Amino acid sequence: MITHQRALALAVVSLTLAGCSGTRNPPPPPATTESPAGAPATERVVGPLSEADAAALASMNTQLKRYVELHQKLERELPKLPDNATPTQIDTNQRLLEEKVRAARAGAKQGDLFTPAATPVIKRLLAAVFGGPDGKQLKDSIMDENPVGVTVTVNGRYPDDVPVSTVPPQVLQTLPKLSDDMEYRFIGDRIVLVDVHAHLIADFIDDALPKF
Amino acid sequence: MRVRVWALAGVAAGGVLLATVLPSATSVAAVGQSTPGIGPAPPAAAPLPNRQGSLKFAVLGDFGTGDRTQYELADQMVKLHDRFKFELVVLVGDNLYGSERPQDFIRKFERPYNGLLDRGVKFYASLGNHDAREQRYYKLFNMNGKLYYSFSPHRDVRFFALESTYPVPEQFEWLEHEMKSSTSAWKIVFFHHPLYSSGDRHGSDLRLREVLEPIFAKYNVSLVLTGHDHFYERVKPQKGITYFETGSGGQLRKGNIDKSTGITASGFDTDLVFMGAEIVGDDLYFQAIARDGRTVDAGVVKRPNAAR
């Protein structure tokens, strides 16, 4: 259990709060990973953020929002992938989208989405998640079949031969919420923002996981 | 809930025929065990009753290698289907390994299971950590574009497919809502990462267990099917729920079951395995079959008491 970690400065800023100045911090709801009778399934923990941290994450959310809008605009230019697609349709659709997004972000570089202001906040949030007695187990679950020594580049294709890392629910409940088009994954010790449909690495932070 | 396992040993020459109905899963070394594994030897007779009108299905995981051994296990699935007409196969993830170009779908899925596909057997997939997210759009996986979904192929049975590599809170909210509104007596959940596993390589996913197990217990889930560890394992009931690990449909990690965990009711980690199952009223019969056609585990799971 990481309940005690949620008493620390764990925070989640959703995309709907993009641009929020973070001047009002509601008290955190009771932290839980279980579903007590009558309660919703999970409580996304919202903890207090300093104004500076909230502004930093807001800068990331602003950039993410722009990215997702671009992605969705480009995806609308493609034939809609049906829910009962053939492998050829799936592959063609994915590679076309990959080309379009890569071309539209030809100058993309590290830090465009995980902004310089947001990066230390993300690292601190992760440090809080992994800081408890279960931290090593959490990291072990992420490192399960997660290879080290893999080179990643912004705007590069997510390597086909690298399985996606597990992202524990406790981590997802801590980091800023993403739209369905994006996912956090880990490659080695890096946290990576993956454009799911385009198979692209949109950004990454090195050394995001603690050393045990 | 009890898990009854018939220990009919002595198929091997010189063995002693023993018929014992065991209460919940205590691992017993049966006399004259013909199938090397962990736990009591399975019965010599076919354990699936093959009743008319029952729900018959199979379970397969970690299979899409395209290797000869995957094809050989697929042949065993067809052989079972010759006499036991299962209508669907539940896939517990890692459906395709490596690249997922169109030709890979053919080599790693459509060709090995062609015999079943031609007979109208439907495959319902969940995704593992080796699977591209776009598999949810693949028509033969029947995910209808969703990473998590549920379906009810039979009166009183509902399956819930989950996505365990990226378990967003919304998924758990959806699961609670689905379970709360389901009136099915049997609730069977399948996904990739096991909550309980004796795998030395991966093992139990404790973080996922922390979140899912309370939901399963609250809503009286009958059965949980997972993969990820590359062997077969039937786990002793945990808080009344039976867990099956069926992760050796194509991949295999020999000798990977850690016998010291104490949670194994029956295990087999020396060859590929799939599982056949049949629900008859309050009983779920299961039969785990290896690549050479041997039955490596079999028995009955009694459904927990009335759904809440």
Side-chain angles (χ1 to χ4, degrees), chain B residues 226-284:
Chain B
T226 58
H228 195 48
D229 270 313
H230 298 158
F231 50 72
Y232 167 82
E233 183 182 22
R234 172 168 50 87
V235 174
K236 296 173 184 175
Q238 304 293 322
K239 298 183 181 171
I241 300 171
T242 298
Y243 291 81
F244 285 90
E245 170 69 41
T246 319
S248 52
Q251 291 280 18
L252 176 68
R253 209 164 264 128
K254 285 189 178 182
N256 203 241
I257 293 178
D258 178 357
K259 298 176 182 59
S260 70
T261 64
I263 63 171
T264 305
S266 181
F268 187 76
D269 60 5
T270 55
D271 207 339
L272 305 189
V273 167
F274 78 96
M275 191 168 83
E278 180 177 0
I279 295 178
V280 182
D282 290 340
D283 295 331
L284 182 143

Side-chain angles (χ1 to χ4, degrees), chain A residues 4-193:
Chain A
H4 71 283
Q5 293 177 3
R6 294 199 175 105
L8 304 174
L10 289 179
V12 171
V13 177
S14 76
L15 276 176
T16 57
L17 295 179
C20 175
S21 65
T23 54
R24 292 189 305 175
N25 296 314
T32 177
T33 56
E34 293 193 3
S35 301
T42 57
E43 292 283 340
R44 182 183 282 271
V45 175
V46 179
L49 276 178
S50 68
E51 281 194 31
D53 283 355
L57 289 181
S59 75
M60 172 180 153
N61 283 340
T62 299
Q63 296 304 106
L64 274 171
K65 191 164 175 286
R66 286 188 187 138
Y67 181 97
V68 168
E69 283 170 356
L70 170 66
H71 166 107
Q72 290 177 349
K73 172 182 168 295
L74 295 174
E75 197 164 25
R76 280 194 295 271
E77 295 172 4
L78 298 174
K80 187 176 177 343
L81 193 61
D83 292 342
N84 56 350
T86 66
T88 300
Q89 285 174 309
I90 293 169
D91 190 58
T92 303
N93 185 281
Q94 182 274 302
R95 288 180 192 273
L96 279 175
L97 182 61
E98 179 186 348
E99 280 173 25
K100 281 179 172 288
V101 175
R102 180 177 290 129
R105 296 187 77 232
K109 60 188 184 309
Q110 193 178 1
D112 282 352
L113 301 178
F114 283 131
T115 59
T119 292
V121 180
I122 295 291
K123 282 188 163 185
R124 273 205 305 278
L125 290 176
L126 288 173
V129 172
F130 292 101
D134 296 336
K136 185 173 184 313
Q137 273 180 346
L138 265 179
K139 183 174 176 180
D140 287 347
S141 69
I142 288 172
M143 298 308 292
D144 183 22
E145 290 193 294
N146 176 3
V148 294
V150 174
T151 303
V152 299
T153 54
V154 172
N155 232 11
R157 183 179 172 86
Y158 187 96
D160 289 337
D161 55 354
V162 172
V164 292
S165 66
T166 302
V167 185
Q170 295 79 359
V171 172
L172 289 173
Q173 288 175 329
T174 303
L175 295 177
K177 186 174 170 5
L178 299 174
S179 77
D180 291 345
D181 306 289
M182 312 285 291
E183 286 181 351
Y184 299 109
R185 294 288 179 180
F186 294 90
I187 298 181
D189 277 356
R190 286 182 212 91
I191 183 168
V192 178
L193 269 172

Side-chain angles (χ1 to χ4, degrees), chain A residues 35 40-42, chain B residues 143 146-151 158-163 168-182 188-191 212 215-216 219:
Chain A
S35 301
T42 57
Chain B
M143 299 175 75
K146 296 180 173 48
L147 290 171
Y148 45 91
Y149 61 99
S150 76
F151 64 99
R158 180 163 282 274
F159 287 87
F160 301 82
L162 300 183
E163 203 291 310
V168 293
E170 292 74 16
Q171 179 177 204
F172 303 129
E173 291 162 14
W174 167 87
L175 181 63
E176 279 240 27
H177 178 264
E178 287 288 296
M179 291 208 162
K180 196 181 292 187
S181 55
S182 170
I188 301 173
V189 190
F190 65 101
F191 49 95
L212 283 177
I215 299 176
F216 293 170
Y219 294 103

Side-chain angles (χ1 to χ4, degrees), chain B residues 178-198:
Chain B
E178 287 288 296
M179 291 208 162
K180 196 181 292 187
S181 55
S182 170
T183 56
S184 298
W186 286 91
K187 294 185 180 69
I188 301 173
V189 190
F190 65 101
F191 49 95
H192 190 58
H193 291 81
L195 304 193
Y196 289 94
S197 166
S198 297

Side-chain angles (χ1 to χ4, degrees), chain B residues 39-102:
Chain B
L48 299 171
N50 212 359
R51 303 263 176 85
Q52 195 170 13
S54 67
L55 174 66
K56 303 173 183 65
F57 65 98
V59 185
L60 186 70
D62 301 74
F63 56 90
T65 60
D67 293 341
R68 174 186 54 82
T69 52
Q70 178 196 0
Y71 280 67
E72 289 172 352
L73 187 72
D75 288 343
Q76 291 300 334
M77 295 179 77
V78 172
K79 283 181 182 162
L80 178 68
H81 196 269
D82 284 341
R83 56 182 169 81
F84 176 75
K85 304 287 184 219
F86 53 90
E87 62 185 82
L88 64 96
V89 182
V90 162
L91 303 177
V92 292
D94 282 1
N95 308 312
L96 275 76
Y97 285 92
S99 63
E100 294 191 12
R101 305 304 299 263

